Amino acid sequence: MSARSAPAQSPSFQAPHGIAGHLVGFVEALRARGVPVGPSETVDAGRVLTVLDLMDRESVREGLACALLRRSTHRSTYDGLFDLWFPAAIGARTDSVDDVEIPRTPSGNVDIEALRELLAELLTEEGAAAQLESLAGQMVEELGQYQSARGPSFSTYQALKEVQPQTLLAKILAGLARPDASAFDTEVARRAARQRITGFRATVDAETRRRVAERIGRERVATYGVARQAEEVDFLRASESELAELRRSTQRLARILASRLAVRRKHSRRGEIDLRRTLRKSMSTGGVPIDLVSRKPRPGRPELVLLCDVSGSVAGFSNFTLLLVSALREQFSRVRIFAFVDQTDEVTRFFDARTQLDEAMKRVFTEADVAGFDGHSDYGSALAGFAEKWPDAVTSRSSLLILGDARTNYRDPDLETLRGLVEVAKHAHWLNPEPTTQWGSGDSAADKYQQVIEMHECRSAAQLTAVVSRLLPV
């Protein structure tokens, strides 16, 4: 790790408790971001630091990752926190690698066109990671500074605004692809060029976080500048990449739920105590019921009826929940899925083991009758239509699960219809992706529905998994 002149106002980058205390702080930060790290992993990480060259930053990164991480999905969060707790430098980067310096005009200003040419050249070369890192540090220092309300700060947007590396794709591609390359080779080169541009932007972003952390503290930067675990992402604020990561983790979450159900079934194999048989057996012990006799259990898989809002405001939440339920189909004797926006239609036929979720959801919107002329969420109309068209869908053996934010656009919520469905169903629960503090605000009827049906906050996959594992009947 290279040292620089540390600014005097950077107490957060000191390690008053030595390397051991610094490592414990790093572990606590990982735990705060949802990465499970136990005492044994922490001890292993400490042993790793005793045998590695602490001046070799990448060796330290990989060594600690091997000791602390259990799943590959934790890597992006780990890397972000590692860059904050074990920064590549402290203060401004005043050195250059292999004479890589920001070009300047005769007047001393940054020569933007020459800088773009230099960046394109480095992105074309193989093994230029050190030069690109040095250039990124200089760009943040020269172009990324701005005056915030709390004083000088740094911004990735400011550093890249004038350079615009995304517009260098053609130049980088020209350096990567041969003139006589086939269409396949050209496409491979194009993807490689995009990846290099994305990688450089990530390097600038990491450098920006490092400089900002020196001013306001690494703990504050970690709360907003480090990638969250996919399971912790808010459904209503998730980006496309975060939702894609959630879909990839669905099978793992389904396995977790299935294992929890198996444990619950194992613990519930014994039925209720048979008082008559227990008393009869106690005759041999003088009337003392030493051995309890249980009734033979009659296990049965329940039916699941899923009623979900597929409108744009909660689409990510509904999509992920449908994907999770589809992976748990074998846990139920029957699964029926109904979707709605302002009117309800059964969409069970679109979801099977062979159909991808994206294709199934596309068919829901193109073939199912879920949106009327208005096209805005109307829970009252959807509930009334569901009860009228499918009066036998919910029975005494059914577990009813409703997904949605309960925002009715100020229309009649039709509580009586919901009350009738809840009274018939064996279990009835409502999963709401909004925080409880927003239930009943604006056009939300969640506070009214909550008086009729048990409602649960499910803002993230972690919350959803915990709630579903607790609610799914054995």
Side-chain angles (χ1 to χ4, degrees):
M1 302 180 194
S2 56
R4 303 290 185 270
S5 55
Q9 69 273 26
S10 301
S12 65
F13 274 72
Q14 298 176 5
H17 303 291
I19 294 179
H22 193 71
L23 176 61
V24 170
F26 177 54
V27 168
E28 290 175 350
L30 288 171
R31 290 173 181 164
R33 299 302 288 175
V35 180
V37 181
S40 61
E41 287 86 0
T42 306
V43 172
D44 290 342
R47 291 173 177 169
V48 165
L49 291 181
T50 63
V51 298
L52 290 178
D53 179 5
L54 299 184
M55 298 302 293
D56 188 344
R57 184 167 177 265
E58 290 309 308
S59 294
V60 173
R61 181 196 297 270
E62 298 304 322
L64 290 181
C66 291
L68 297 174
L69 300 185
R70 303 178 186 177
R71 293 199 297 264
S72 59
T73 54
H74 297 154
R75 186 60 195 247
S76 59
T77 302
Y78 167 86
D79 283 335
L81 290 174
F82 182 89
D83 288 338
L84 292 176
W85 260 257
F86 300 90
I90 295 178
R93 289 176 181 258
T94 56
D95 64 340
S96 60
V97 178
D98 294 338
D99 296 327
V100 174
E101 295 183 358
I102 289 183
R104 299 182 180 278
T105 62
S107 61
N109 297 324
V110 177
D111 189 336
I112 298 300
E113 287 302 320
L115 177 58
R116 285 168 52 83
E117 292 290 339
L118 174 62
L119 179 58
E121 179 183 344
L122 291 176
L123 290 173
T124 304
E125 295 179 2
E126 296 290 342
Q131 292 90 329
L132 286 170
E133 186 176 352
S134 175
L135 184 62
Q138 296 176 56
M139 288 175 58
V140 170
E141 184 68 27
E142 294 285 341
L143 304 175
Q145 292 197 49
Y146 73 101
Q147 288 293 327
S148 67
R150 298 182 179 181
S153 189
F154 298 88
S155 164
T156 302
Y157 171 76
Q158 287 290 127
L160 298 176
K161 180 177 65 174
E162 295 186 72
V163 179
Q164 297 183 349
Q166 68 275 10
T167 62
L168 301 176
L169 180 61
K171 292 183 179 180
I172 301 171
L173 182 60
L176 293 178
R178 302 189 310 272
D180 58 343
S182 63
F184 175 78
D185 291 338
T186 302
E187 180 60 26
V188 170
R190 180 177 288 107
R191 294 188 181 185
R194 290 195 180 114
Q195 289 176 355
R196 294 186 182 188
I197 292 173
T198 302
F200 179 73
R201 293 181 64 91
T203 301
V204 174
D205 196 33
E207 179 69 13
T208 302
R209 288 196 301 269
R210 179 184 72 82
R211 298 306 309 278
V212 174
E214 292 175 356
R215 297 182 179 277
I216 66 176
R218 58 168 68 94
E219 291 81 5
R220 286 184 59 187
V221 174
T223 59
Y224 67 84
V226 176
R228 297 170 291 178
Q229 293 300 298
E231 293 88 347
E232 302 293 336
V233 173
D234 195 322
F235 285 119
L236 303 184
R237 295 175 175 82
S239 63
E240 286 298 325
S241 60
E242 289 172 331
L243 288 176
E245 181 61 34
L246 271 179
R247 296 188 188 100
R248 286 192 290 270
S249 64
T250 301
Q251 292 300 324
R252 179 178 57 81
L253 293 177
R255 288 194 299 270
I256 292 174
L257 287 177
S259 63
R260 290 178 182 175
L261 283 175
V263 171
R264 288 172 58 190
R265 287 198 178 98
K266 180 180 180 181
H267 291 166
S268 62
R269 281 178 180 173
R270 294 183 178 181
E272 297 178 352
I273 295 176
D274 190 327
L275 183 60
R276 182 183 175 193
R277 293 177 63 191
T278 299
L279 292 177
R280 288 188 64 182
K281 193 169 184 178
S282 69
M283 298 292 288
S284 62
T285 57
V288 180
I290 296 177
D291 297 320
L292 301 180
V293 181
S294 301
R295 293 190 179 95
K296 185 177 181 179
R298 293 182 173 84
R301 294 184 301 170
E303 298 177 356
L304 179 65
V305 177
L306 202 63
L307 185 60
C308 57
D309 182 0
V310 294
S311 62
S313 59
V314 292
F317 166 65
S318 297
N319 288 7
F320 180 77
T321 309
L322 285 172
L323 191 60
L324 193 62
V325 170
S326 296
L328 291 170
R329 259 178 198 277
E330 65 276 6
Q331 304 293 334
F332 303 93
S333 61
R334 188 182 185 188
V335 177
R336 297 186 69 179
I337 303 174
F338 299 85
F340 69 89
V341 176
D342 58 354
Q343 56 191 28
T344 307
D345 195 6
E346 182 168 8
V347 296
T348 309
R349 62 190 183 276
F350 301 140
F351 296 88
D352 55 53
R354 300 179 301 276
T355 305
Q356 295 292 328
L357 179 67
D358 293 340
E359 181 182 346
M361 293 304 298
K362 186 183 299 183
R363 293 185 64 188
V364 167
F365 287 106
T366 57
E367 301 179 29
D369 191 15
V370 296
F373 177 76
D374 183 78
H376 293 90
S377 295
D378 188 342
Y379 281 77
S381 174
L383 289 169
F386 170 69
E388 179 182 351
K389 294 180 182 178
W390 297 275
D392 301 327
V394 179
T395 66
S396 58
R397 296 187 67 251
S398 301
S399 295
L400 175 63
L401 209 59
I402 302 178
L403 315 177
D405 58 5
R407 293 202 171 270
T408 63
N409 290 295
Y410 300 101
R411 296 168 181 172
D412 180 14
D414 198 353
L415 299 179
E416 289 305 316
T417 298
L418 178 61
R419 184 174 287 108
L421 294 172
V422 172
E423 290 174 353
V424 172
K426 184 177 182 179
H427 307 281
H429 301 278
W430 189 307
L431 308 185
N432 193 326
E434 287 194 339
T436 53
T437 54
Q438 296 182 13
W439 294 0
S441 64
D443 62 343
S444 171
D447 55 336
K448 298 183 179 67
Y449 285 130
Q450 191 180 13
Q451 300 172 8
V452 179
I453 185 173
E454 189 174 355
M455 188 172 290
H456 309 269
E457 178 188 287
C458 292
R459 298 173 57 191
S460 65
Q463 275 188 320
L464 177 64
T465 304
V467 170
V468 171
S469 64
R470 189 172 68 250
L471 299 183
L472 285 181
V474 178

